[in-house]
Amino acid sequence: MRLNFFRRPAVEPVQVVADGAVSTDYEATLAMARSEAGESAGMYQQAVRWCVLAAVFLAPLFVLPWTTNPLEMNKQLLLVVAAGAGLILWLLSIVSSGRLSWRSNSIDKGILALAVAAGLATAFSLTPFKSLFGMSVSSSNSLISISALAVIFYLAVNSYHDKGKQILTCLKISVLIALAYGFSQMMSWYLVSNGIANSRAFNTVGSINALGAMAAIILPLFAMKIESKISGYLNALGLLLALAILVVLNWWVLWAIAIAGMVATIGFENLRQLKFKMSRFILPMTVIVIAVFLMIVNFSVDALKKNYPVEVAPSYALSADVASGVLKERLILGYGPENFSLAFDKFGAGRLADTTLSNIRFFDGTSEFFSWVIHGGLVAVAAVAFLFWSLISAVIKKRTAISDDDSGMTVAILSAMTASSAAFFLYPFNTALNLVFFALLSLTALTLWGNARQTHNIEEKAWLSLVASLGFISGLIVVLAGAYFMLSNYISDVRYAQAFSASTNQNAADLLGEAFNWNGKDDRLLRALSQVELGLLSQELNAKADPKDDQKSNRVQQHLANAVQYAQQAANLSPREASNWSNLGGVYQSLIGLVDGVDKLAEDSYLKAEELRPNDASVFNSIGSVYLVKANFSLQMAQSGGENTAKFRQDAADALTKAEMYYKKAIEISSNYGLAIYNLGVVYDREGKLNEAIKQLEKIAPFNSDQPSLAFELGLLYYRAGQKDKSLAQMQRAVVLSPEFANARWYLALIYEERQDMPAAIEQLERILSNEANKDNETVKQKLAQLKSGQPAVPGKVTDQKPL
């Protein structure tokens, strides 16, 4: 028995009554059925085209304020919804019509190679869930984003029959709006003056440099000649905006992208006309001259640029080093999409150890190419190479399509595609730039293969019917599953964002718990939950005791256990994430004095973080702080007396020895790491090594001359070391830097008293009491009364006096 999948049943002959007679008209009925099916398929095809246009138009502009990142996650959701809806509608059009129209071209094979490479890298990723969906700060290279862009490419190529004119118009209008809004933000002409929009750095594309990259890529599309007067005005406006943004930013990477597009315009235009005419190349040559000149003279609009945030990125050499390290460890499939940060931690962070960026983390490479190499290894390199070879071979094979195009649209598209290809190797893509890249690929395929289309009747062959059936079912399942998980992740991120502005720790805990229920694979939520639980624990410990409250001990134990559990769960969920282990170490560190033995657990956790992020001085500084905290606790317990005094003193001495060792390790890695240098000075102070302690603080004092607390502590050390003139100078500096610094004025008054300078001492005490926060301080009042009464004014050792 032969099965015909999705084959319409034979149409039963209809009885037609005419002149009182009954007759059968099979052909008329069949024609009617085909007409209805064709109308239905046409309706679905039109809906598919609307989905493509929605994605192309909205992606560069789409912003929503209620997620942790107003751009990336929202744009990703938009692309997934547009691609999913378009795919279902396209499959319905095939089923309803029984026909499949396909525009075969070489570029679609390159797109398929990219999608397959991303899929394989995700399957073997170090963090599969993150590779599948990405994260709020970076999701453009996640599998679901690449898949959505690939689907949009195929839908565009196989649903449009106008060589991409509608898509091109839609893309240009969208980018024109994005550039206009971005430029107005750069000039502080805020159309929306509240929230995140009230910033020069904000635009709908991404960072300011990302906006510049968009302008450089799209420049050839605005340079094309248009017959329509209105379109010509819009092109002129887009051209001026793009050039204005590029001139203000004046970064060689952006100019290199723009120059690539302009050189391509000259080359393709010459190929189209087959005759060189200088007049046709005035605009692209002018842009090239301006770009080269501004780069040579290093032109800068300082009045504007000084207020722009600095976009920090790894250098090309550093990205290459990270890529090399990844390929040595995981040659074939890399670390997985969106795992650049893990690779940077292991192979790149150590290179920045002795710089001011030692604690920074990067989530993208210097260019999109480096990101693909790190995310997908040799498989990704092969896919990228195949895509660009397919693109180059397509231009070579279809060069007649360029010469036959009288409108110049093909030249503009190919030139913008060239600029986008240059950007691929020079700048990292976010979701908006990725959309433009794929949109230009689809426009390239449409303009070169606009007249090549094959139509297959799936009802003629059983295997085609089977493929169509399975394709429809599989597509529907994939779209529904993807939509469900995307929506869950989205709701989770919204709750996570709300937790940041929660009024209390309990409200934050409730929101984070709800967020985790929606997305149990996000280790950020677990880290945040552990910190909130520590906050709740601190509240309980510091709350005034109520004799009637017999549940306080249970609540303390519950918050303590929850903090540890959430931190451990995050580390188990993403064991290659150094931040999870640092967070776990921090949680254990917070419990010193409450739980025995947590100092060793904290040390082990931090060492695991150091294994994942080698040569990070902050990790060793954190371990040193663990043992400094333990030493302080042990010294406090020793001072309380009791039979364990000797044991506590020994514990403190051992802890200080370990703290000194780890702080020295941190300083060996980063010789100018001020926090570790300061902490080492504190350790020396605890050990009674005053001169060594002073040396440590003197190292960092010149670089922290605006820090009153450092001057205050250095002043105390100078006094204890007998360097009283230096002590006086530092205390005076502290109160100059911070006139309301009560403790600095208190000790300064005591030093003046010791020097028998009563008027100066009285002045300092009166300044303390003039502050609203200290006007009723009895200690200061008593001391002031003593000095004014002329009583003996030698208080003994100044540093023996307790601070206020």
Side-chain angles (χ1 to χ4, degrees):
M1 179 177 180
R2 184 177 181 182
L3 298 178
N4 294 321
F5 295 90
F6 280 109
R7 178 174 295 181
R8 292 190 301 276
V11 180
E12 294 292 333
V14 177
Q15 292 181 326
V16 181
V17 180
D19 298 329
V22 178
S23 63
T24 300
D25 190 351
Y26 178 86
E27 293 299 331
T29 304
L30 186 60
M32 183 184 300
R34 287 177 174 169
S35 176
E36 292 175 353
E39 291 178 2
S40 177
M43 181 178 62
Y44 290 133
Q45 283 287 324
Q46 183 60 37
V48 170
R49 288 191 283 271
W50 277 108
C51 287
V52 173
L53 290 181
V56 171
F57 180 79
L58 292 176
L61 303 173
F62 200 58
V63 177
L64 290 175
W66 46 71
T67 53
T68 53
N69 187 312
L71 299 179
E72 288 300 287
M73 179 165 280
N74 294 293
K75 293 179 188 295
Q76 182 193 52
L77 181 64
L78 167 71
L79 293 179
V80 170
V81 169
L87 179 61
I88 295 300
L89 291 167
W90 184 66
L91 292 171
L92 284 173
S93 72
I94 295 173
V95 170
S96 62
S97 66
R99 286 175 169 76
L100 168 65
S101 294
W102 189 261
R103 183 173 281 110
S104 181
N105 61 88
S106 62
I107 299 176
D108 61 7
K109 299 174 181 61
I111 297 294
L112 179 61
L114 277 187
V116 170
L120 289 173
T122 299
F124 295 92
S125 170
L126 296 180
T127 57
F129 189 83
K130 186 166 70 172
S131 294
L132 180 58
F133 292 102
M135 46 190 169
S136 61
V137 295
S138 179
S139 58
S140 58
N141 284 336
S142 64
L143 176 60
I144 197 166
S145 293
I146 296 299
S147 299
L149 290 168
V151 168
I152 290 171
F153 168 86
Y154 287 112
L155 294 178
V157 171
N158 296 292
S159 298
Y160 279 89
H161 311 298
D162 62 350
K163 292 193 174 183
K165 292 180 181 178
Q166 289 187 41
I167 296 176
L168 178 61
T169 301
C170 189
L171 178 63
K172 289 173 63 177
I173 293 174
S174 175
V175 173
L176 176 61
I177 296 172
L179 294 181
Y181 179 74
F183 185 71
S184 70
Q185 292 289 114
M186 292 171 63
M187 298 293 108
S188 299
W189 305 330
Y190 301 132
L191 301 179
V192 179
S193 58
N194 58 0
I196 58 174
N198 192 25
S199 168
R200 289 187 173 191
F202 177 77
N203 60 75
T204 63
V205 175
S207 66
I208 293 181
N209 284 338
L211 182 71
M214 180 78 81
I217 290 170
I218 214 73
L219 201 59
L221 298 184
F222 291 128
M224 63 182 290
K225 185 178 180 181
I226 299 293
E227 299 298 332
S228 168
K229 183 176 292 187
I230 295 178
S231 298
Y233 288 146
L234 291 178
N235 265 12
L237 177 60
L239 187 66
L240 289 175
L241 284 170
L243 287 174
I245 291 171
L246 292 173
V247 168
V248 170
L249 297 180
N250 194 32
W251 184 29
W252 74 267
V253 168
L254 305 181
W255 283 125
I257 296 170
I259 290 172
M262 294 297 98
V263 170
T265 299
I266 295 173
F268 288 127
E269 184 66 26
N270 189 54
L271 179 63
R272 183 172 74 92
Q273 299 292 341
L274 298 179
K275 187 177 180 181
F276 189 87
K277 289 184 178 179
M278 183 66 72
S279 60
R280 296 201 308 272
F281 308 124
I282 292 177
L283 178 58
M285 288 192 297
T286 301
V287 172
I288 293 173
V289 170
I290 291 174
V292 174
F293 172 75
L294 292 180
M295 285 190 290
I296 291 175
V297 301
N298 195 25
F299 171 78
S300 178
V301 187
D302 292 331
L304 295 174
K305 294 185 70 173
K306 69 179 182 181
N307 294 317
Y308 295 158
V310 177
E311 182 177 339
V312 181
S315 66
Y316 291 100
L318 182 56
S319 291
D321 289 340
V322 175
S324 175
V326 169
L327 292 177
K328 289 178 181 177
E329 182 182 342
R330 292 171 64 93
L331 176 64
I332 305 301
L333 291 168
Y335 267 35
E338 299 303 346
N339 280 331
F340 181 88
S341 60
L342 302 185
F344 174 79
D345 280 349
K346 187 165 186 180
F347 301 109
R351 309 294 176 89
L352 304 178
D354 209 19
T355 71
T356 57
L357 302 176
S358 58
N359 291 329
I360 201 168
R361 297 190 77 203
F362 292 111
F363 296 91
D364 290 294
T366 311
S367 73
E368 187 69 2
F369 174 72
F370 280 125
S371 295
W372 272 91
V373 173
I374 292 164
H375 293 165
L378 284 186
V379 171
V381 173
V384 169
F386 182 68
L387 172 65
F388 283 104
W389 170 247
S390 301
L391 191 60
I392 294 170
S393 63
V395 174
I396 295 174
K397 292 178 181 178
K398 292 289 184 176
R399 56 184 178 273
T400 54
I402 303 173
S403 58
D404 293 341
D405 179 24
D406 295 330
S407 67
M409 186 178 78
T410 303
V411 171
I413 290 172
L414 292 179
S415 299
M417 187 69 250
T418 302
S420 186
S421 300
F424 188 92
F425 292 93
L426 293 174
Y427 191 78
F429 284 1
N430 58 15
T431 302
L433 292 174
N434 239 354
L435 180 279
V436 171
F437 181 71
F438 276 79
L440 289 172
L441 285 170
S442 65
L443 287 170
T444 300
L446 281 169
T447 193
L448 295 181
W449 279 273
N451 299 321
R453 185 161 61 100
Q454 298 175 340
T455 301
H456 306 278
N457 189 339
I458 65 173
E459 295 184 341
E460 292 180 352
K461 297 180 180 180
W463 71 270
L464 278 177
S465 297
L466 176 61
V467 170
S469 303
L470 295 177
F472 179 77
I473 295 171
S474 301
L476 186 59
I477 292 173
V478 169
V479 169
L480 291 177
Y484 171 78
F485 285 112
M486 277 295 302
L487 185 61
S488 297
N489 294 347
Y490 191 84
I491 296 174
S492 174
D493 194 73
V494 170
R495 294 291 181 265
Y496 182 47
Q498 292 172 347
F500 281 110
S501 57
S503 57
T504 65
N505 280 331
Q506 188 57 57
N507 289 341
D510 293 339
L511 288 167
L512 289 170
E514 186 179 349
F516 188 72
N517 289 335
W518 280 105
N519 180 8
K521 299 291 186 180
D522 192 344
D523 56 340
R524 296 178 310 162
L525 305 178
L526 292 167
R527 291 199 300 269
L529 275 167
S530 68
Q531 294 302 314
V532 169
E533 288 292 339
L534 286 179
L536 292 170
L537 174 62
S538 178
Q539 287 179 208
E540 286 290 345
L541 293 174
N542 294 323
K544 187 176 180 180
D546 184 356
K548 298 179 180 180
D549 185 4
D550 58 353
Q551 295 298 314
K552 180 172 182 176
S553 177
N554 292 335
R555 291 196 299 273
V556 168
Q557 291 299 321
Q558 187 62 53
H559 292 314
L560 189 153
N562 286 345
V564 173
Q565 178 186 347
Y566 289 136
Q568 288 176 336
Q569 195 173 346
N572 292 333
L573 182 63
S574 298
R576 295 296 295 261
E577 180 62 66
S579 299
N580 290 334
W581 293 101
S582 292
N583 178 70
L584 181 58
V587 169
Y588 283 136
Q589 180 178 343
S590 300
L591 303 182
I592 293 176
L594 298 176
V595 180
D596 291 336
V598 290
D599 52 304
K600 184 63 171 67
L601 295 175
E603 179 184 15
D604 292 341
S605 298
Y606 280 127
L607 288 176
K608 179 64 177 177
E610 197 277 334
E611 178 185 333
L612 297 170
R613 188 180 166 95
N615 295 321
D616 186 348
S618 66
V619 176
F620 290 118
N621 179 71
S622 296
I623 302 175
S625 297
V626 168
Y627 286 106
L628 180 56
V629 170
K630 182 182 179 181
N632 290 336
F633 173 75
S634 297
L635 288 172
Q636 289 176 0
M637 296 302 294
Q639 290 172 0
S640 64
E643 60 182 14
N644 292 322
T645 298
K647 177 182 180 302
F648 283 126
R649 290 191 182 280
Q650 185 59 49
D651 288 345
D654 294 341
L656 287 172
T657 300
K658 283 194 171 184
E660 180 181 343
M661 177 186 70
Y662 280 114
Y663 286 138
K664 286 181 176 178
K665 281 188 176 182
I667 297 171
E668 286 175 6
I669 294 173
S670 179
S671 59
N672 59 356
Y673 190 10
L675 186 56
I677 295 171
Y678 172 82
N679 288 334
L680 182 58
V682 175
V683 170
Y684 285 142
D685 181 27
R686 298 290 189 275
E687 293 176 328
K689 303 174 182 177
L690 285 178
N691 291 331
E692 287 82 351
I694 290 172
K695 288 179 182 178
Q696 295 304 311
L697 268 62
E698 285 178 337
K699 288 180 182 178
I700 60 175
F703 307 102
N704 296 273
S705 57
D706 59 342
Q707 298 297 316
S709 59
L710 179 60
F712 170 71
E713 294 186 38
L714 190 54
L716 290 178
L717 288 175
Y718 279 140
Y719 187 92
R720 290 169 56 198
Q723 303 178 47
K724 295 185 178 181
D725 290 339
K726 288 185 177 180
S727 176
L728 175 63
Q730 289 299 323
M731 290 298 179
Q732 290 173 333
R733 181 177 186 79
V735 298
V736 168
L737 292 172
S738 179
E740 306 302 324
F741 197 163
N743 271 320
R745 290 195 180 278
W746 170 249
Y747 283 109
L748 184 57
L750 296 176
I751 293 174
Y752 281 136
E753 181 185 7
E754 184 182 58
R755 289 173 171 245
Q756 301 297 312
D757 189 350
M758 299 309 156
I762 290 172
E763 179 188 358
Q764 295 303 318
L765 296 175
E766 289 177 339
R767 289 289 299 272
I768 295 173
L769 292 174
S770 67
N771 187 286
E772 185 69 23
N774 297 293
K775 65 180 182 178
D776 296 323
N777 191 298
E778 291 298 327
T779 302
V780 179
K781 286 183 176 180
Q782 291 175 9
K783 174 60 69 174
L784 182 61
Q786 177 189 7
L787 294 182
K788 286 185 175 181
S789 67
Q791 294 181 15
V794 182
K797 197 171 184 180
V798 167
T799 52
D800 288 341
Q801 302 294 312
K802 293 182 179 180
L804 299 178

